[in-house]
Amino acid sequence: MTDKPNHLPERLAFLADLNAARYLTEGLLTGKEDVPAIALNKVAEPLPGDEARGALMPVRDLVDDAMHAFRDEKVTAADAWLAPRLHATLRLTRREAADRRLWNYLALGVAPDYVVWRHMSEPKKESLGEAGRVAATRFRGASYTQAFARLWWAAELFRNGSDYGPVVTVCAHQDMLNTGLRLDAIDHRPTALALARLIERGTVSTGREINALARVVNASAATLMYDVVAPDVERDGRPTAQWIEAAESAPAVPRRALPEGPDEERAPEDAVTALADHFGELFAGAPVRGRKTDDNEAD
């Protein structure tokens, strides 16, 4: 596995896609080589300004703590712990988080060892002697696959105001994290929270069930406007702006208790409940391989 990068600068930076691609070597993707940190930082562009949220070490310390805390568990368990804390440490606007250059730098310049630790595949049993491998998209990829972007966006889209509880629920189920982030409908908060609510209720729990739920919710969105039948409160950008400003004096995020996000108004409970009930009804009629029904035996 790659080691913790040396020569870390004080601040985070941007790394353009083309420059990032230069460092996605076979050695890195198989965990046999490190990223040449000095060379990479020569082509990275430091974040503008001197805001506290641009400091590198709080992110690096968080990653180190995640790898230590989950060293004896399945590495996927780290997602539910890291997602809310990464979100609360970086304190980004959505516009800032849409810039892939930041995530490229986090994956290659700050914590390539974490990406390898978290996303290294298991060697195929039929290929004796063949090493595992990390998909290049975990370092440089879309927001729903890149190692750090996926966690930040999960925390942003599934939190309920300042409450990261639903984020933990979603990130504890890899199929919801992987599939849910691809759904356009989750930009609507009551929809996102209704999906988390069905996990909390125990309506869905397995990967097959979660993927079936995502399919019917996505299909239903083509004919039913969720934001009309279950309206959210009007989005107010002031709490996020104030939360970002408060980063200048904020302590490190707690490791045991959940941090608090922007003090936004919570999604209307009746909207979340209505959609959760509706999605539960849709799921009840959805085909799920292996599920017994009144008419059919399990496959």
Side-chain angles (χ1 to χ4, degrees):
M1 179 182 293
T2 57
D3 295 323
K4 177 178 177 177
N6 297 317
H7 309 289
L8 289 173
E10 293 184 0
R11 296 186 58 76
L12 299 171
F14 293 133
L15 184 65
D17 275 349
L18 287 176
N19 288 327
R22 295 165 50 188
Y23 297 99
L24 297 178
T25 64
E26 185 67 16
L28 174 65
L29 298 179
T30 54
K32 298 175 182 177
E33 295 178 0
D34 298 332
V35 175
I38 295 177
L40 180 143
N41 279 296
K42 286 181 179 178
V43 298
E45 178 186 349
L47 291 186
D50 58 357
E51 292 175 287
R53 64 194 178 113
L56 185 149
M57 286 312 299
V59 179
R60 180 66 227 188
D61 289 344
L62 194 62
V63 168
D64 284 337
D65 289 347
M67 290 192 289
H68 177 76
F70 296 93
R71 64 192 184 281
D72 298 324
E73 301 182 38
K74 281 189 71 174
V75 294
T76 54
D79 289 350
W81 185 89
L82 185 55
R85 292 170 175 85
L86 180 70
H87 186 272
T89 296
L90 290 174
R91 300 202 182 198
L92 304 171
T93 66
R94 290 191 178 190
R95 180 184 293 274
E96 290 169 334
D99 192 333
R100 288 167 51 120
R101 298 177 300 164
L102 176 63
W103 306 117
N104 291 343
Y105 186 76
L106 258 64
L108 288 162
V110 178
D113 54 327
Y114 168 83
V115 182
V116 171
W117 174 81
R118 169 60 184 84
H119 292 289
M120 177 68 72
S121 65
E122 292 290 337
K124 295 181 180 179
K125 292 182 179 180
E126 63 271 20
S127 302
L128 297 178
E130 183 176 328
R133 184 182 178 86
V134 180
T137 53
R138 298 301 187 181
F139 288 97
R140 169 183 173 266
S143 60
Y144 48 79
T145 56
Q146 204 272 351
F148 294 108
R150 68 196 284 269
L151 298 180
W152 191 94
W153 280 104
E156 174 67 11
L157 293 170
F158 286 99
R159 65 182 173 86
N160 192 3
S162 64
D163 180 15
Y164 287 116
V167 178
V168 175
T169 298
V170 166
C171 291
H173 293 76
Q174 288 297 301
D175 288 277
M176 182 60 81
L177 176 58
N178 294 334
T179 303
L181 287 180
R182 298 170 185 260
L183 301 177
D184 292 338
I186 64 163
D187 195 44
H188 176 239
R189 278 200 311 170
T191 295
L193 294 171
L195 294 174
R197 183 70 54 84
L198 289 179
I199 295 177
E200 294 168 357
R201 289 179 179 176
T203 304
V204 294
S205 58
T206 69
R208 289 176 180 176
E209 290 172 346
I210 288 171
N211 288 326
L213 173 64
R215 285 194 295 270
V216 296
V217 168
N218 197 43
S220 176
T223 57
L224 183 65
M225 299 180 67
Y226 298 147
D227 57 341
V228 173
V229 299
D232 195 0
V233 296
E234 185 175 349
R235 189 171 181 87
D236 181 356
R238 287 174 296 180
T240 297
Q242 293 166 354
W243 183 66
I244 289 173
E245 291 175 4
E248 294 303 309
S249 58
V253 296
R255 270 38 177 181
R256 295 184 182 275
L258 280 178
E260 293 187 357
D263 190 23
E264 294 176 341
E265 186 174 352
R266 295 171 64 91
E269 179 59 27
D270 57 349
V272 176
T273 300
L275 283 182
D277 292 344
H278 176 64
F279 295 160
E281 293 173 0
L282 292 177
F283 172 73
V288 181
R289 188 162 63 90
R291 179 169 69 177
K292 291 184 178 182
T293 66
D294 294 336
D295 300 320
N296 300 294
E297 293 295 323
D299 292 343

